Structures are given as structure tokens and as C-alpha cells.
Amino acid sequence: MVSQRSNHEQGEKNDQEEFYCSSQPIYFHPGSRCHPCRSYHLMLILKFLSYIYNKLSFFRYQIVWVSKYRRKKLYGQVRRRFGEITRDLCRQKGIGLVEGHAMPDHVHLCLSIPPKYSISYVVGYLKGKSAIRLHQKFSNKMRGSKSFWARGYFVSTVGLDENQVRQYIRHQENEENRQREFDFQNK
């Protein structure tokens, strides 16, 4: 049922038609080509896709970095504290720590990073903040400067082989120990 209004009731909208879509009025000129519902729904779809891309899509990376001079510094309490620090730092930035393992001289991580952060920013943030916090906690055990990590890092994207990467990170210490035993037997 269409209600009839006088020109006085319509006010300045006398040459416009009123359409309701999702309980919001949309005004458009009758001579325009685009139907108001189509443009409104298209706008909603674009906003939704933008939301999905910016908020829900995460990129997964395998990241490896080593300690300064490959010294075996990550063991015992330092190793446990590094795990706590890394989880805390990732939580603060909204980064998903999918898998992680700290070896005595290097770190393997599989991270799920939102697109608003670059990989270099995330690695710099994790390396820098973890070095500062470890130095504050264990300054008596760590002699010298605050440079705990060596410069540089390795990054690889994780795609369909995510399960293999996670399994590699999880079982890497066992594999290294097995290789050391083999090297020792050959000498």
C-alpha cells in the first residue's frame, strides 16, 4: 500500500522518490541509472570484504633467527622465560603464535600475522623486546651488551605445507640430537 502525500508534506523531496532498504531510507532521483538497493547492497558487500581482508585474513610465516655468535644461551630458565615473553608480545600485537620452539642457539616460530604489520616490523619487535626483557631478568647471567640476537632472520611463507612446517618445528630438537649422535659415531 502506497501512501499519498501532498506536495507540502513532501517538502523539498518532491522530485525524489523514497525507498526503504534495511530500514534506512535512500533517496535518489528517478532518472538515475542505479537502483538504490543495488548500490546499497554493493556498498555493504565492499565494506564486508574490506573487513574480512583487514581483520580476519592473516598471513602465516615460518621465522628463524639465531643468537649472537650462535652462542648456546637459550636453556633452562632463560628458555622458559623467552617462551613466556614471546607469547606475551604476540598477544599484545594480535599475532597468532601457531608453533614455536627455542633451541639453545636459535629460535623457530610459525606466526600468523595480520596484514597491517610487515614481517620486518614483527621480527624487529619480537627480537628487540625479547632481548630487552631477557637482559632485565637475567642481567647477571648475560655479560656484555644487550645485543642478544644476531642481525638478520630467515622467513618463509607457509601455505599448504603448514602441517609439515609445524611438525618440523615441533620435532627439530629430536632430529638435531639424532644427527649429533650420528656425527659422533662417524668420528
Side-chain angles (χ1 to χ4, degrees), residues 72-130:
K72 299 191 184 311
K73 298 179 179 181
L74 290 172
Y75 56 89
Q77 291 180 350
V78 177
R79 184 175 176 176
R80 275 191 298 279
R81 182 70 181 135
F82 172 74
E84 294 168 6
I85 291 170
T86 305
R87 282 189 291 276
D88 184 46
L89 293 173
C90 288
R91 183 189 49 77
Q92 287 176 9
K93 292 292 183 184
I95 298 167
L97 182 59
V98 178
E99 196 75 41
H101 195 75
M103 298 294 291
D105 61 345
H106 65 279
V107 175
H108 276 263
L109 298 174
C110 183
L111 299 177
S112 180
I113 301 174
K116 66 181 180 179
Y117 297 125
S118 68
I119 187 66
S120 60
Y121 170 78
V122 170
V123 172
Y125 176 77
L126 291 175
K127 284 174 69 174
K129 294 293 184 182
S130 65

Side-chain angles (χ1 to χ4, degrees), residues 1-174:
M1 179 175 162
V2 178
S3 64
Q4 297 282 332
R5 289 198 240 174
S6 66
N7 285 343
H8 179 62
E9 289 176 352
Q10 288 181 352
E12 295 180 8
K13 296 183 266 180
N14 57 2
D15 61 341
Q16 295 179 344
E17 294 181 24
E18 185 175 325
F19 289 90
Y20 287 90
C21 183
S22 300
S23 72
Q24 293 182 0
I26 298 176
Y27 303 103
F28 82 106
H29 192 272
S32 68
R33 295 178 154 206
C34 184
H35 189 272
C37 287
R38 285 186 188 153
S39 63
Y40 180 73
H41 289 292
L42 182 63
M43 181 184 69
L44 286 178
I45 290 170
L46 292 176
K47 281 185 179 180
F48 179 71
L49 290 176
S50 173
Y51 172 78
I52 287 176
Y53 178 75
N54 290 325
K55 301 290 184 193
L56 301 178
S57 64
F58 290 83
F59 302 106
R60 297 203 172 189
Y61 298 98
Q62 175 190 7
I63 303 168
V64 180
W65 68 76
V66 299
S67 61
K68 189 94 168 180
Y69 307 118
R70 292 290 293 236
R71 289 193 178 130
K72 299 191 184 311
K73 298 179 179 181
L74 290 172
Y75 56 89
Q77 291 180 350
V78 177
R79 184 175 176 176
R80 275 191 298 279
R81 182 70 181 135
F82 172 74
E84 294 168 6
I85 291 170
T86 305
R87 282 189 291 276
D88 184 46
L89 293 173
C90 288
R91 183 189 49 77
Q92 287 176 9
K93 292 292 183 184
I95 298 167
L97 182 59
V98 178
E99 196 75 41
H101 195 75
M103 298 294 291
D105 61 345
H106 65 279
V107 175
H108 276 263
L109 298 174
C110 183
L111 299 177
S112 180
I113 301 174
K116 66 181 180 179
Y117 297 125
S118 68
I119 187 66
S120 60
Y121 170 78
V122 170
V123 172
Y125 176 77
L126 291 175
K127 284 174 69 174
K129 294 293 184 182
S130 65
I132 290 170
R133 290 186 185 184
L134 286 172
H135 186 76
Q136 288 171 349
K137 179 77 173 173
F138 302 104
S139 60
N140 57 347
K141 292 183 181 179
M142 299 179 192
R143 294 177 223 103
S145 67
K146 291 182 184 178
S147 58
F148 189 80
W149 306 112
R151 291 179 58 182
Y153 54 89
F154 167 79
V155 176
S156 173
T157 56
V158 176
L160 298 175
D161 59 343
E162 180 182 350
N163 290 333
Q164 289 176 328
V165 170
R166 291 177 72 177
Q167 185 177 5
Y168 171 75
I169 291 171
R170 205 174 297 133
H171 300 294
Q172 187 204 2
E173 190 167 20
N174 298 336

